[in-house]
Amino acid sequence: MVYSDNNEKNQKYDAISGERLIPESELKDAVREVLAEMLGFQQGAQTQGNRQWYDTDPAYQLLDLDNAEQLRDAVRSGLLRVGHEVRDRRKPSARLPRYQFHIDKCLQRLAEKPEKRWKK
């Protein structure tokens, strides 16, 4: 490493190319992103923390469905049940439901054998 006296004494430069090295914080962020991608974590998972309930649009993507309508159809058919895997967060005066989905519970329900799902 060569330290330049021109602008700031503590800026680090690459001795071969003369370019400034990547700051440590950027390097850590880059490594975290690569590791998260390799391990299959979702982008932005750190900011969401232990979030469990998701609106329809992000939920269908997390459940690896083709579109949000497939998720709504699963609720209408009774495959995913309001009060168990789904909650209705609509305002009291609203006619249309605003569903939220518990991803872990939905995955468990979808993984069950069909004959077990429909037993009461």
Side-chain angles (χ1 to χ4, degrees), residues 7 37 42 54 57 59 80 101:
N7 295 335
E37 184 179 342
Q42 292 290 329
Y54 291 85
D57 190 50
L80 297 177
F101 299 85

Side-chain angles (χ1 to χ4, degrees), residues 58-71:
Y60 90 82
Q61 295 170 350
L62 291 169
L63 294 169
D64 201 28
L65 298 175
D66 294 330
N67 55 50
E69 194 58 34
Q70 283 184 310
L71 206 47

Side-chain angles (χ1 to χ4, degrees), residues 72 76 88-99:
R72 291 185 199 101
R76 280 186 226 118
D88 189 349
R89 302 293 291 175
R90 75 178 112 188
K91 294 179 182 178
S93 61
R95 286 191 286 160
L96 293 175
R98 182 173 173 253
Y99 293 130

Side-chain angles (χ1 to χ4, degrees), residues 11-107:
Q11 280 189 350
K12 297 178 183 178
Y13 288 83
D14 187 321
I16 296 171
S17 65
E19 294 179 20
R20 184 167 184 237
L21 294 175
I22 185 169
E24 188 175 339
S25 61
E26 287 182 27
L27 180 60
K28 286 181 181 179
D29 290 343
V31 170
R32 279 190 195 108
E33 287 176 19
V34 170
L35 286 173
E37 184 179 342
M38 289 172 61
L39 296 172
F41 290 121
Q42 292 290 329
Q43 186 80 8
Q46 285 182 332
T47 59
Q48 294 170 352
N50 293 331
R51 184 173 176 187
Q52 298 174 347
W53 294 93
Y54 291 85
D55 289 331
T56 306
D57 190 50
Y60 90 82
Q61 295 170 350
L62 291 169
L63 294 169
D64 201 28
L65 298 175
D66 294 330
N67 55 50
E69 194 58 34
Q70 283 184 310
L71 206 47
R72 291 185 199 101
D73 286 341
V75 175
R76 280 186 226 118
S77 71
L79 174 60
L80 297 177
R81 304 159 297 177
V82 176
H84 296 273
E85 300 85 19
V86 182
R87 65 182 180 188
D88 189 349
R89 302 293 291 175
R90 75 178 112 188
K91 294 179 182 178
S93 61
R95 286 191 286 160
L96 293 175
R98 182 173 173 253
Y99 293 130
Q100 288 186 333
F101 299 85
H102 192 286
I103 300 302
D104 291 338
K105 289 181 182 179
C106 288
L107 289 171

